[in-house]
Amino acid sequence: MMKRIKLTVAYDGTDYCGWQVQPNGMTVEEILNRELSALTGEEVKVIGASRTDAGVHAEGNVAVFDTETGIPAERIAYALNCRLPEDIVAVKSEEVPGDWHPRYQCSVKTYEYRILNREMPDPVCRRSTVHVSYPLNLGDMRTAAGYLKGEHDFKSFCSPHTEVKDTVRTVHSLEIEKEGDIITVRISGNGFLYNMVRIIVGTLINVGRGACPPEKVKEILEARDRRKAAATAPAKGLVLKHIRYGK
Amino acid sequence: MMKRIKLTVAYDGTDYCGWQVQPNGMTVEEILNRELSALTGEEVKVIGASRTDAGVHAEGNVAVFDTETGIPAERIAYALNCRLPEDIVAVKSEEVPGDWHPRYQCSVKTYEYRILNREMPDPVCRRSTVHVSYPLNLGDMRTAAGYLKGEHDFKSFCSPHTEVKDTVRTVHSLEIEKEGDIITVRISGNGFLYNMVRIIVGTLINVGRGACPPEKVKEILEARDRRKAAATAPAKGLVLKHIRYGK
């Protein structure tokens, strides 16, 4: 009998061309399709919740697929992990209703962006943090972040390489914490535009280094013009932490 | 004029056959010798404080070398970093007296060993943590650790593949902390035998999982027999944090 499986997936995005299948390189989606097909003996195609960019990591991206396999739903993650490369892990598998879709319903996504803020780089965490050698003013970064919370038109923080028309999104929370040399920017929202988190972080770094007064972020937001915001921060600092689904 | 330079070095040990030059693969020492020689135009040979094993990481290993270069001592780290691969970083360079040696004097070394203790692995930190999927009892691990603090003959915790005769060492501190899913074993001492930290951690993991009562660690220590202690824990969880030199 056909059942729909929700898969929670973690990956180190370093060596992948992002989530979505594409002609020019290996992607997380392609690996999942290949290994789920081999595991079930069916032609499986997953549908992902978040099509993360090349180099972006995940602790809890979500995918669904339909299968008639006899493997119990909650065992699929274990069976799949025996086949997956070590940079992709199926964290959880569970059965969901047949009409459950990971994108077309109410959800809150949480991303973290990690910045190593000290003079010298750290080779051990180089794949999952971005190194900023100049000092960053956390107070100014937090003031700037305050303007971005809530419902806004985030057109200034959206890559122009997208066809999305409605650029209004709600940022539920945007926190900046420091522990040791690591600054973590944690952002939750009902959805994010293409490159939105990385453009927000790039802009906050600009504020933190003193290149942009915190108040100016309000203007950047109101301009609805991508050219006003800072450069997109590198992919490797970003991790999709989790996606919470509501009713 | 000849001067002696102390270099503090960080590296991701994943892709190296350890610190020490050897015929069968690339090592951190070999890269440093090669790049310091190219930088100074001299034939540089570094002397390392800690000859870490293949796969072990460092945030603060120490090396010295002698040079007549005109580059100011404290700038050598910056100049060297322009030449080093991204998994090795010169964190600091400074001039020391000509008779200063990184091994033949009073020092305290601190290592950390990181264990991801949850059911599923985490691909993002897979290169610098060891995944233990069964629950670990921290209280028992701490009790066991208590027997190892202080001055002891650590022969049971020393690989037999060494020619060292005196196996007495002092463990100044041995702390076990947990944050989220990560258990960190932090150990400081005046010197460590070959594989000593990894054998201690392997034994503590055995205690934590209930395979060995904490009190038995006292017996293992007293036996002075490597076969009594547990298997050596994997290299990739270990990082040499820093070496502090006294007077």
Side-chain angles (χ1 to χ4, degrees):
Chain A
M1 216 183 69
M2 190 68 85
K3 55 192 174 188
R4 178 159 284 198
I5 304 296
K6 177 188 174 194
L7 203 60
T8 305
V9 188
Y11 44 90
D12 176 343
T14 308
D15 298 327
Y16 292 99
C17 297
W19 173 272
Q20 196 167 20
V21 170
Q22 51 153 278
N24 305 319
M26 193 49 72
T27 66
V28 178
E29 186 182 33
E30 190 174 343
I31 301 258
L32 290 174
N33 286 344
R34 187 183 74 196
E35 298 306 331
L36 282 168
S37 297
L39 178 67
T40 61
E42 305 163 9
E43 195 190 330
V44 172
K45 284 202 184 302
V46 301
I47 304 168
S50 187
R51 286 162 286 191
T52 53
D53 285 342
V56 172
H57 317 292
E59 291 183 18
N61 204 345
V62 168
V64 298
F65 63 96
D66 295 321
T67 178
E68 294 187 347
T69 183
I71 305 170
E74 65 281 4
R75 300 304 305 169
I76 290 174
Y78 297 86
L80 183 58
N81 283 338
C82 298
R83 312 187 64 98
L84 288 174
E86 64 172 8
D87 52 4
I88 304 180
V89 172
V91 177
K92 194 177 183 187
S93 54
E94 57 200 303
E95 190 170 351
V96 287
D99 62 348
W100 195 91
H101 191 286
R103 286 202 300 275
Y104 304 142
Q105 62 188 293
C106 195
S107 72
V108 175
K109 289 181 186 169
T110 299
Y111 284 90
E112 278 186 8
Y113 196 98
R114 301 206 315 148
I115 301 161
L116 176 70
N117 189 30
R118 66 178 198 188
E119 195 175 11
M120 290 298 190
D122 179 351
V124 174
C125 64
R126 74 187 186 285
R127 292 157 66 102
S128 58
T129 59
V130 164
H131 176 228
V132 174
S133 60
Y134 34 80
L136 293 176
N137 183 318
L138 256 72
D140 283 353
M141 289 171 76
R142 289 183 180 127
T143 304
Y147 298 113
L148 300 172
K149 283 185 234 178
E151 186 182 84
H152 300 286
D153 184 339
F154 282 98
K155 193 170 179 196
S156 295
F157 297 90
C158 176
S159 165
H161 307 293
T162 172
E163 314 227 315
V164 171
K165 292 283 180 301
D166 178 11
T167 48
V168 174
R169 294 291 183 279
T170 300
V171 169
H172 296 307
S173 65
L174 176 45
E175 291 151 10
I176 302 168
E177 283 165 19
K178 187 167 187 180
E179 204 181 312
D181 296 324
I182 302 279
I183 295 172
T184 301
V185 179
R186 186 179 298 107
I187 187 166
S188 293
N190 64 347
F192 293 94
L193 300 163
Y194 188 40
N195 281 352
M196 177 171 155
V197 178
R198 290 164 58 193
I199 300 169
I200 286 177
V201 170
T203 304
L204 292 177
I205 289 173
N206 249 5
V207 168
R209 69 192 285 204
C212 167
E215 298 71 29
K216 203 166 165 227
V217 170
K218 192 166 181 294
E219 285 171 43
I220 294 170
L221 189 64
E222 286 164 359
R224 306 185 64 251
D225 179 351
R226 170 68 188 91
R227 293 166 300 176
K228 302 292 184 187
T232 308
K236 68 177 188 169
L238 187 61
V239 57
L240 171 56
K241 294 290 282 185
H242 50 69
I243 306 175
R244 307 262 194 248
Y245 290 92
K247 279 159 293 193
Chain B
M1 218 180 70
M2 191 67 86
K3 56 192 174 188
R4 179 158 284 200
I5 304 296
K6 176 188 174 193
L7 203 61
T8 305
V9 188
Y11 45 88
D12 175 343
T14 309
D15 298 328
Y16 293 98
C17 297
W19 173 272
Q20 196 166 20
V21 169
Q22 53 152 280
N24 305 319
M26 192 50 71
T27 65
V28 178
E29 187 181 32
E30 190 175 343
I31 300 260
L32 289 174
N33 286 345
R34 187 183 76 196
E35 298 305 332
L36 281 167
S37 297
L39 178 67
T40 61
E42 304 161 9
E43 196 188 329
V44 172
K45 284 202 185 298
V46 300
I47 303 167
S50 187
R51 286 163 286 190
T52 52
D53 285 341
V56 172
H57 316 291
E59 290 183 20
N61 204 345
V62 169
V64 297
F65 63 96
D66 296 321
T67 178
E68 296 187 345
T69 182
I71 305 170
E74 65 280 3
R75 300 304 304 170
I76 290 173
Y78 297 87
L80 183 59
N81 283 337
C82 298
R83 312 187 65 98
L84 288 173
E86 64 172 9
D87 51 6
I88 304 180
V89 172
V91 176
K92 195 178 182 186
S93 54
E94 58 201 302
E95 192 170 349
V96 287
D99 62 349
W100 195 93
H101 192 286
R103 286 201 300 274
Y104 304 141
Q105 62 189 294
C106 194
S107 70
V108 176
K109 288 180 186 170
T110 299
Y111 284 89
E112 278 185 9
Y113 197 97
R114 301 205 314 146
I115 300 160
L116 176 70
N117 189 30
R118 66 178 197 188
E119 195 175 10
M120 290 297 190
D122 178 351
V124 173
C125 64
R126 75 187 185 285
R127 292 157 66 103
S128 57
T129 59
V130 164
H131 176 226
V132 173
S133 59
Y134 34 80
L136 294 175
N137 183 318
L138 256 72
D140 284 353
M141 290 172 75
R142 289 185 180 125
T143 303
Y147 298 111
L148 301 172
K149 284 187 235 181
E151 186 183 83
H152 302 283
D153 184 340
F154 283 97
K155 194 170 178 195
S156 294
F157 297 89
C158 176
S159 165
H161 307 294
T162 173
E163 316 227 314
V164 170
K165 293 281 179 301
D166 178 11
T167 47
V168 174
R169 295 291 183 277
T170 302
V171 169
H172 297 306
S173 65
L174 177 44
E175 291 150 11
I176 302 167
E177 284 164 20
K178 186 165 188 183
E179 203 181 312
D181 296 323
I182 302 280
I183 294 172
T184 301
V185 179
R186 185 181 297 106
I187 186 164
S188 292
N190 64 345
F192 293 94
L193 300 163
Y194 188 40
N195 280 353
M196 176 171 156
V197 179
R198 289 165 57 193
I199 300 169
I200 287 177
V201 171
T203 304
L204 292 177
I205 289 173
N206 249 5
V207 169
R209 68 191 288 204
C212 168
E215 298 70 28
K216 201 166 168 228
V217 170
K218 191 165 183 296
E219 286 172 41
I220 294 171
L221 188 64
E222 287 164 357
R224 303 183 66 252
D225 180 348
R226 169 67 187 92
R227 292 166 300 178
K228 302 290 185 190
T232 308
K236 68 176 188 169
L238 187 61
V239 58
L240 171 56
K241 293 291 282 184
H242 49 69
I243 306 174
R244 306 262 194 246
Y245 290 93
K247 280 157 293 194

